[in-house]
Amino acid sequence: MAAELTGAYLTLDDGRPAVRFSRTYHHPIGRVWQFVTDPEELAHWFPSRMEIEPRTGGVIRFGGDPDLEDSTGTVLAVDVPRHLSFDRGGDELRFDLEALDDRRTRFTLTNVLQSADTAARNGAGWEVCLAALDARARGEDFEGAHAGHTPARDRCYAAYIETGIPSGAPVPGVGA
């Protein structure tokens, strides 16, 4: 079964590589903000536990990712309920929310990459995580794991490589 890819590889104006994903959720912006900042909501889709000190310069704690060590990051910018960006392991993650009306919100995740060769790997991981968020937003349970090494991630990774997205970085949880 071929993977349906929703991410795009791009080069930002400042020359940094990134992968970007966009969704429209049938929820008001405040509810979508909860999906991306509330630890209980994040547990349903984000690849690790995440606790946020929601202020510029605040600390973010990551833990429980089956493929990565527990770590911390720093909030780079926050504009409740429209924007959150933070660093994680050398990458920058940006969550941008735009109210389309009082019941729909456009959600955009941009993963600014430290290295272009992580694009296929990270894109594949976000595909699985965002499928879990999509299910949560519909009020459904996500079938299977949304973090760690999974067959769904493998399919997406292979599909990204096939489309020519930069790859080659080690994949956590695979190999020695």
Side-chain angles (χ1 to χ4, degrees):
M1 172 185 198
E4 183 178 330
L5 303 178
T6 63
Y9 175 75
L10 59 144
T11 302
L12 301 178
D13 290 343
D14 63 7
R16 293 184 297 167
V19 289
R20 180 172 288 156
F21 301 84
S22 186
R23 306 282 200 272
T24 298
Y25 291 121
H26 294 275
H27 293 284
I29 195 169
R31 176 66 178 124
V32 179
W33 184 254
Q34 288 176 321
F35 289 146
V36 301
T37 60
D38 181 280
E40 296 300 316
E41 292 294 341
L42 287 158
H44 291 279
W45 72 274
F46 198 78
S48 62
R49 257 185 348 272
M50 187 166 85
E51 295 176 10
I52 305 168
E53 189 180 319
R55 63 174 180 76
T56 300
V59 174
I60 298 184
R61 289 175 180 75
F62 306 100
D65 186 312
D67 293 329
L68 298 174
E69 296 288 324
D70 290 0
S71 63
T72 60
T74 303
V75 175
L76 301 173
V78 62
D79 178 15
V80 178
R82 292 176 286 285
H83 175 80
L84 173 67
S85 60
F86 55 89
D87 69 352
R88 182 179 192 202
D91 283 1
E92 178 183 338
L93 294 174
R94 300 175 183 172
F95 299 126
D96 291 293
L97 308 180
E98 176 188 359
L100 300 175
D101 55 38
D102 61 347
R103 290 188 260 173
R104 294 179 311 128
T105 302
R106 179 177 299 122
F107 163 87
T108 303
L109 164 64
T110 305
N111 182 177
V112 183
L113 307 167
Q114 185 175 22
S115 176
D117 69 351
T118 63
R121 178 192 75 191
N122 289 19
W126 288 122
E127 292 286 356
V128 176
C129 291
L130 291 174
L133 176 56
D134 295 347
R136 180 73 177 161
R138 291 189 305 268
E140 301 169 358
D141 290 328
F142 183 72
E143 297 296 324
H146 66 271
H149 184 73
T150 66
R153 185 178 80 177
D154 290 347
R155 284 190 301 275
C156 291
Y157 183 61
Y160 272 117
I161 290 171
E162 188 174 304
T163 65
I165 301 296
S167 63
V171 177
V174 177

